[in-house]
Amino acid sequence: MTRGLSDKERLAWLRLARTETVGPVAFDHLLQRFGSPERALIALPDLARRAGRAAPLRPPPEDEILRELEDGARLGARLICACEPDFPHRLASLDPPPPVVWALGHYELLPQPGIAIVGARIASAAGQRFARQLAAELGQHGLVVVSGLARGVDGAAHEGSLSTGTIAVLGGGIADIYPPEHASLHARIAQDGCIVSESAPLRRAQAKDFPRRNRIISGLSLGVVVVEAELKSGSLITARLAAEQGRDVFAVPGSPLDPRAKGPNDLIRQGAILCEGVEDVLRSLSASPSMRERDRTWDPDEAANDLDHDALRERLDALLSPTPVSRDELVRATKAPTSAVMAALVELALADRAELLPGGMVAGV
């Protein structure tokens, strides 16, 4: 489905996206299973009850969603739903895509070819200078620079690309300015670039929001450049997500005496593309194949009517543990159709007994 939405459809779409326990994976499956957000909303309480959820599952009231839409309109932002023609095609290729994004500023930058530059918040002066210069040169070659508006490397990358096109992806809403010292940079990006968030416009960022933010950073980009990062950092999570999404991963080498170089050096050891300047990025992009389309995770034509769905759901519940496992493994273990397995997993997620993770992974709760 790629079309504009009526006001009523948009309200239902956002309401389903904001429903507790309905993340991108469950949203994508519910939409394919029921055909519309309106029908999915009607089915949700019964699905959760059948799966054994203790408390009733209630989507947010319509007035709460209307307030979110009013907040975005007051800020001058635009809500773009995943089914709409203006939804960025690189994000749409993710499995699954975020159901919605808010965009403040020049949203026409979103589908343009982009490169993400990420790295340490406490970055060296040399690292910040490299990020700023690389961003400027990428912009001169017609590439939009994507980053996360954090301190250090992110801020330098935005500064270097403000005049040519930059996108800041936030964990909180588009109005959540963090760190506070980036208030001026936030305002300039809103004026000359684009600020993007999957969250409601006034939402304050929480720790759980940043993996989703990082997934959008890599999802909007053809590749991700890691400038400086310690071994356990959000930048390396962004690099891993980029690799899973089929994007190029670049790493800027550094001194083994600097802990901030350990992340990029380890990425190079694992096969990341060494980046010493803009030529390395451009050379790799010129040789990259076109982006693959995501596979459907739901096949409505699969014959699953003769299955004992309650038994399958309990079988899956027993197979799950806190260690994530792929949906394909669960299909093999149960010997059930993919569509039936996905239906049961969504019901378990709605009952808070499973967590559906991007990349086709599932964990028990």
Side-chain angles (χ1 to χ4, degrees):
M1 178 167 62
T2 304
R3 60 177 178 82
L5 297 174
S6 67
D7 290 345
K8 182 179 178 182
E9 289 172 325
R10 181 178 296 269
L11 186 68
W13 188 283
L14 186 55
R15 194 175 175 218
L16 181 62
R18 297 292 185 239
T19 298
E20 180 188 4
T21 76
V22 177
V25 179
F27 183 98
D28 189 58
H29 171 76
L30 288 167
L31 197 64
Q32 292 183 45
R33 182 176 178 183
F34 294 103
S36 75
E38 294 94 334
R39 288 194 288 272
L41 286 166
I42 293 169
L44 275 180
D46 186 56
L47 290 176
R49 180 188 55 76
R50 279 180 11 212
R53 181 182 171 92
L57 179 61
R58 296 188 178 94
E62 288 191 1
D63 60 351
E64 182 179 317
I65 302 304
L66 288 171
R67 279 197 301 273
E68 177 176 341
L69 293 169
E70 290 165 2
D71 291 338
R74 188 170 60 252
L75 292 166
R78 178 174 179 186
L79 178 73
I80 311 176
C81 299
C83 66
E84 295 183 306
D86 288 339
F87 194 80
H89 64 277
R90 277 182 293 278
L91 276 188
S93 75
L94 298 187
D95 182 16
V100 300
V101 293
W102 279 100
L104 177 64
H106 295 273
Y107 64 87
E108 65 271 14
L109 292 172
L110 299 179
Q112 295 184 23
I115 292 291
I117 300 177
V118 297
R121 286 172 170 79
I122 306 175
S124 69
Q128 293 184 60
R129 183 175 66 249
F130 184 92
R132 190 179 299 108
Q133 181 64 30
L134 178 63
E137 292 177 353
L138 288 169
Q140 290 163 12
H141 283 86
L143 291 162
V144 173
V145 171
V146 186
S147 198
L149 201 64
R151 295 183 177 97
V153 166
D154 288 21
H158 290 307
E159 291 279 4
S161 55
L162 259 174
S163 63
T164 54
T166 194
I167 298 170
V169 185
L170 308 188
I174 51 174
D176 183 29
I177 301 173
Y178 187 85
E181 61 265 28
H182 278 177
S184 173
L185 181 56
H186 181 284
R188 284 182 286 155
I189 296 173
Q191 176 68 34
D192 299 321
C194 188
I195 295 174
V196 175
S197 175
E198 193 176 350
S199 300
L202 304 185
R203 178 183 168 89
R204 298 297 298 273
Q206 301 176 20
K208 65 180 181 180
D209 297 322
F210 289 99
R212 295 189 303 129
R213 185 278 304 260
N214 295 341
R215 185 169 179 261
I216 293 178
I217 289 175
S218 56
L220 283 170
S221 309
L222 296 168
V224 173
V225 182
V226 180
V227 178
E228 290 181 337
E230 297 196 22
L231 284 174
K232 292 184 178 180
S233 70
S235 298
L236 295 194
I237 293 173
T238 306
R240 175 179 58 78
L241 292 168
E244 291 174 356
Q245 294 163 358
R247 275 57 166 172
D248 286 335
V249 177
F250 303 88
V252 179
S255 167
L257 302 178
D258 187 344
R260 292 168 292 201
K262 290 186 179 296
N265 289 351
D266 190 57
L267 287 174
I268 293 169
R269 196 175 295 117
Q270 295 176 39
I273 303 163
L274 185 144
C275 179
E276 294 180 313
V278 70
E279 296 81 7
D280 294 313
V281 178
L282 298 176
R283 186 184 311 115
S284 178
L285 292 183
S286 67
S288 294
S290 58
M291 189 176 303
R292 63 179 186 271
E293 293 293 323
R294 73 185 185 101
D295 295 328
R296 286 175 61 89
T297 57
W298 171 263
D299 182 356
D301 295 325
E302 283 188 317
N305 292 331
D306 56 345
L307 281 176
D308 184 336
H309 292 278
D310 291 340
L312 175 60
R313 187 173 59 243
E314 294 307 314
R315 170 73 173 139
L316 288 165
D317 195 18
L319 288 169
L320 293 175
S321 75
T323 302
V325 63
S326 74
R327 281 173 271 169
D328 290 342
E329 285 293 329
L330 295 171
V331 169
R332 279 192 287 269
T334 58
K335 297 182 174 60
T338 302
S339 58
V341 170
M342 274 306 302
L345 288 173
V346 168
E347 290 174 15
L348 288 172
L350 295 175
D352 294 325
R353 290 159 65 186
E355 183 179 7
L356 304 181
L357 304 168
M361 305 299 286
V362 187
V365 176

